Amino acid sequence: MMIRKTLLLFLVLSSVSLSGQEKNNIIIVTGKPLTPLDSIEIKRSFFKALQEKTAGNIDQAAVIFRGIIDKDPQNSASLYELGNISLAQNLKDDAGEYARRAVTLDPDNKWYWLLLSEIYKKNNSLEDLIPVFNELIRLEPDKEGYYFDKANALSLLNKYKEAEEVFKEIESRFGLSEDLEEARNKITLSREEPHIAIQRLEKLIKKDSPDIDNYLNLAQLYIKQGQFEKAHDVLKKAQKKQADNSFIHLLLSDVYQAAGRRAEAFEETKKAFSDPRFPIDIKVQIILSYFSKFKDPVILNGTTELAYVTTQAHSREPKAHALYGDILFQGKKFEEAKQAYKKALSLNNKVYLIWAQLLQIEISQNNFKEAIQDGDTALNIFPHEPDLYFFTATAYAQVNDHQKAVNYLKNALSLNPKKWIPESDIYSSLGNSLNSLKRFKESDDAFNKSLELNPDNVYTLNNYAYYLSLREVNLEKAAEMAQRANDLKPGNASFKDTYAWVLFMQKKYADARIWIEKAIKDNSNSAVQYEHYGDILFYLGETDQAVQQWKKAKDKGIISETLEKKINEKKYYK
């Protein structure tokens, strides 16, 4: 099966919306003159950064490159490296700024322009691509691909006359070719009235043209016109010429889908996805288009199967396994998702988002030791990712290594968290671990900072209130926070239990009883809540009923000398 480079560029760019584009301005930065010593130090730093990059320490390399830019804002090579790193991390705005600065400083370096073209392609900034291709053509006028890229971008902008001028230049410089004919045909198809294009393609096919694209283009036009039977007939003829063409399978899938033949449509799609020659990036785009429809279990199951087939066709492609993991995660198949992510990481462990997703799964499964091991491995690769510190700290806290958790949470805060985990949540976790270490002043400060950043952080409100009540300090504030947490999240039994306990500490036993009974009604499996219920009943003078609740707490798993004394002596003890 022949898949041309120009066709793929056209497919990728045409699948993205053109709305919301912004013009990018080239930025020029000047700095103070460098001394000879500065120049030597910058060269050493640049070499060191390249070593770190080669070793896979991408974040450390970026830190060094940024340090070079601070000293020498006109160091175009460091700007280029930072642009590449930012693009790989999907920080497109940062990548664009670095690349624009690099080409401004050294407009004759083709690699800088190539980087900028990749960034604009990913952002679908088609208007901005045109001058970039002009510069590349200026630098390498004998490189045919630049002309095709420019013409494709112009055609996607509906600038057909300008695109045709580029095609004429290609013909003049490089002569007629199959690629040039195909590119021109695509523009003709997009401009022609459908019935005229259909007539033209039908004539070409009657001439028994060996070009399979004529069949594909005609089938697409029939599908757009709702003439599905004709599209089906054309595609079946195409299969006689090229049975293993995956584009034929995809178009047949569209035809069967329109006819309500969902099973047959799915089988055709599977055939295309089973083809290792069919580009994985197109498969990924198709799968991603289904994500918004996963509420339909049929679509979720079908997409899961397509993703699995993709991993079989591209077993050495980490993105195939990562995508499969994402879909399994959406389907709440967490163990299978974990294995898919681990497979992706075994092929390429330099993808931060896969590590982050893996750690979340391990924590949700209570596999805290595994999360610690994987978290520390990830941090050796990405030592400047605050979210990885947060997830690993969470695992350390769950195994009661709170000092380690505190250290990691402080690292997360020092790295200006701005990705998945809100800063308020990091301070909240810090408050929890500091409280466990009995560093109460620091714990209170962390909780207060969490609420300063987000006054409605329900977990901070609940936990802070509970810890204050255990210490029997600032109970009025504790009551306000506990009540606020319940107002924000009224269905949480744990929050109701906290409010009941704060009221108990305030000696408001009747009110406490109301809230503890609400908590038990929502969750009848909490041993702690039954013990609290017994404590409250004791102070309401209902000693026998209190003992019954304490016994229930024991039956549900609480083992403590204090609880035994309560039961045996029929008396409340702290």
Side-chain angles (χ1 to χ4, degrees):
M1 179 178 62
M2 181 178 182
I3 301 175
R4 299 184 184 86
K5 186 176 180 181
T6 53
L7 173 62
L8 285 182
L9 174 66
F10 195 94
L11 280 169
V12 170
L13 288 176
S14 62
S15 67
V16 185
S17 169
L18 301 182
S19 63
Q21 294 181 21
E22 293 182 0
K23 298 293 181 184
N24 294 307
N25 297 317
I26 289 177
I27 299 167
I28 300 176
V29 180
T30 59
K32 65 181 182 180
L34 297 175
T35 67
L37 286 176
D38 288 335
S39 297
I40 293 171
E41 180 58 31
I42 284 171
K43 288 177 182 177
R44 287 176 179 168
S45 296
F46 188 82
F47 181 68
K48 174 64 174 173
L50 289 179
Q51 287 181 315
E52 294 287 353
K53 180 182 173 184
T54 303
N57 301 322
I58 304 300
D59 287 311
Q60 184 58 32
V63 169
I64 299 172
F65 284 129
R66 282 194 289 268
I68 294 172
I69 297 304
D70 288 342
K71 290 181 180 178
D72 179 15
Q74 299 188 55
N75 193 296
S76 59
S78 292
L79 289 166
Y80 169 74
E81 293 293 343
L82 284 168
N84 269 312
I85 290 171
S86 298
L87 182 60
Q89 295 175 335
N90 208 32
L91 302 172
K92 297 175 188 175
D93 291 342
D94 291 346
E97 180 179 344
Y98 288 130
R100 287 191 295 274
R101 286 170 62 180
V103 298
T104 301
L105 292 165
D106 188 358
D108 291 332
N109 189 313
K110 75 167 185 177
W111 300 108
Y112 298 176
W113 288 109
L114 284 170
L115 172 61
L116 192 56
S117 73
E118 287 303 310
I119 294 165
Y120 286 155
K121 284 177 187 177
K122 287 202 171 186
N123 288 338
N124 204 41
S125 302
L126 297 178
E127 289 282 3
D128 296 313
L129 269 173
I130 307 304
V132 173
F133 291 138
N134 287 339
E135 291 296 327
L136 287 167
I137 290 169
R138 173 181 68 82
L139 293 171
E140 293 188 298
D142 295 328
K143 196 81 173 277
E144 187 179 12
Y146 297 153
Y147 297 86
F148 275 110
D149 284 346
K150 179 181 176 181
N152 281 331
L154 287 167
S155 65
L156 289 169
L157 290 166
N158 297 325
K159 296 183 178 181
Y160 301 116
K161 289 184 179 179
E162 294 177 49
E164 180 53 35
E165 290 302 314
V166 178
F167 289 141
K168 287 178 181 178
E169 189 173 0
I170 293 172
E171 183 177 347
S172 173
R173 281 180 175 272
F174 308 103
L176 289 171
S177 67
E178 189 178 344
D179 281 351
L180 179 57
E181 182 183 352
E182 179 190 347
R184 276 178 160 155
N185 280 340
K186 286 193 176 298
I187 288 184
T188 301
L189 281 171
S190 63
R191 297 183 68 184
E192 278 182 333
E193 290 292 327
H195 70 280
I196 296 174
I198 287 172
Q199 290 174 3
R200 182 171 59 80
L201 289 168
E202 286 175 338
K203 287 179 182 178
L204 287 171
I205 288 173
K206 283 180 181 178
K207 292 179 180 179
D208 198 28
S209 167
D211 189 355
I212 201 72
D213 287 338
N214 290 328
Y215 291 86
L216 297 176
N217 290 331
L218 181 57
Q220 283 181 297
L221 284 170
Y222 279 142
I223 290 170
K224 287 181 180 178
Q225 297 299 305
Q227 300 180 53
F228 298 109
E229 288 188 13
K230 288 186 176 182
H232 179 269
D233 292 343
V234 169
L235 291 168
K236 285 299 181 181
K237 289 177 183 177
Q239 276 190 321
K240 292 178 181 178
K241 291 182 172 291
Q242 200 173 91
D244 61 349
N245 188 303
S246 293
F247 288 103
I248 296 175
H249 290 304
L250 286 180
L251 289 173
L252 278 171
S253 176
D254 288 342
V255 170
Y256 292 139
Q257 190 70 32
R261 296 157 65 179
R262 295 179 69 174
E264 291 169 274
F266 181 69
E267 286 305 311
E268 292 295 337
T269 304
K270 263 180 65 175
K271 289 175 184 176
F273 275 63
S274 299
D275 184 358
R277 297 164 298 175
F278 191 58
I280 186 173
D281 287 335
I282 296 179
K283 295 176 184 177
V284 169
Q285 287 184 17
I286 292 171
I287 288 174
L288 290 176
S289 71
Y290 289 116
F291 266 60
S292 62
K293 304 173 184 176
F294 280 171
K295 289 183 180 179
D296 183 338
V298 174
I299 292 176
L300 176 59
N301 291 336
T303 308
T304 304
E305 189 172 349
L306 290 179
Y308 173 75
V309 168
T310 303
T311 66
Q312 301 305 294
H314 306 274
S315 61
R316 302 301 301 170
E317 274 281 2
K319 71 174 72 173
H321 297 280
L323 182 64
Y324 184 43
D326 287 342
I327 294 168
L328 290 167
F329 186 89
Q330 292 289 324
K332 303 188 187 309
K333 297 178 179 179
F334 298 121
E335 182 59 32
E336 293 173 65
K338 182 172 74 173
Q339 297 309 318
Y341 287 137
K342 288 200 168 188
K343 177 63 177 178
L345 290 169
S346 73
L347 296 169
N348 178 11
N349 66 359
K350 303 299 190 297
V351 184
Y352 149 75
L353 288 174
I354 301 178
W355 284 109
Q357 198 81 318
L358 174 64
L359 293 178
Q360 287 187 96
I361 291 175
E362 290 171 342
I363 290 169
S364 71
Q365 294 178 321
N366 296 329
N367 292 329
F368 303 120
K369 290 184 179 179
E370 193 175 2
I372 288 169
Q373 182 178 353
D374 287 332
D376 283 333
T377 300
L379 285 166
N380 283 329
I381 303 168
F382 300 102
H384 303 289
E385 289 293 348
D387 296 339
L388 295 181
Y389 281 105
F390 176 83
F391 295 135
T392 312
T394 300
Y396 273 117
Q398 291 298 318
V399 298
N400 292 316
D401 192 343
H402 289 286
Q403 185 54 59
K404 195 85 169 184
V406 167
N407 294 341
Y408 276 41
L409 291 165
K410 287 183 176 179
N411 284 343
L413 290 168
S414 71
L415 291 168
N416 187 28
K418 58 183 178 181
K419 291 186 179 176
W420 292 5
I421 308 302
E423 196 172 355
S424 173
D425 289 350
I426 300 176
Y427 275 108
S428 185
S429 293
L430 183 60
N432 291 335
S433 284
L434 287 167
N435 181 82
S436 295
L437 293 170
K438 301 188 184 307
R439 291 157 62 176
F440 300 127
K441 172 65 169 60
E442 294 174 78
S443 174
D444 290 353
D445 289 344
F447 283 132
N448 287 328
K449 182 64 176 177
S450 173
L451 293 174
E452 178 185 322
L453 292 165
N454 178 12
D456 290 338
N457 189 321
V458 289
Y459 295 103
T460 302
L461 290 166
N462 177 75
N463 294 350
Y464 192 11
Y466 188 64
Y467 294 143
L468 289 177
S469 70
L470 291 178
R471 288 155 50 196
E472 298 184 53
V473 299
N474 214 345
L475 292 177
E476 186 174 344
K477 178 178 181 178
E480 290 174 359
M481 291 191 295
Q483 184 175 19
R484 178 64 178 156
N486 279 284
D487 289 343
L488 291 168
K489 199 166 185 178
N492 190 298
S494 178
F495 291 180
K496 292 173 182 176
D497 174 51
T498 294
Y499 191 28
W501 191 248
V502 173
L503 291 167
F504 173 78
M505 286 299 180
Q506 289 182 306
K507 298 181 171 50
K508 298 178 179 179
Y509 303 121
D511 291 335
R513 178 179 190 163
I514 292 171
W515 281 93
I516 196 63
E517 288 177 352
K518 286 182 180 181
I520 291 172
K521 182 178 180 182
D522 288 344
N523 178 15
S524 61
N525 295 315
S526 171
V528 171
Q529 289 174 188
Y530 282 107
E531 184 173 6
H532 287 170
Y533 192 20
D535 298 343
I536 293 165
L537 290 173
F538 177 83
Y539 274 96
L540 286 170
E542 300 179 27
T543 304
D544 291 341
Q545 291 88 337
V547 172
Q548 288 179 14
Q549 302 308 319
W550 290 331
K551 286 180 178 179
K552 285 183 182 179
K554 180 181 177 179
D555 291 342
K556 289 186 176 294
I558 291 183
I559 301 173
S560 77
E561 291 183 9
T562 302
L563 182 59
E564 289 292 341
K565 286 178 68 176
K566 289 178 182 179
I567 295 169
N568 294 332
E569 299 180 24
K570 297 184 178 182
K571 186 178 179 182
Y572 171 76
Y573 288 95
K574 286 187 180 179

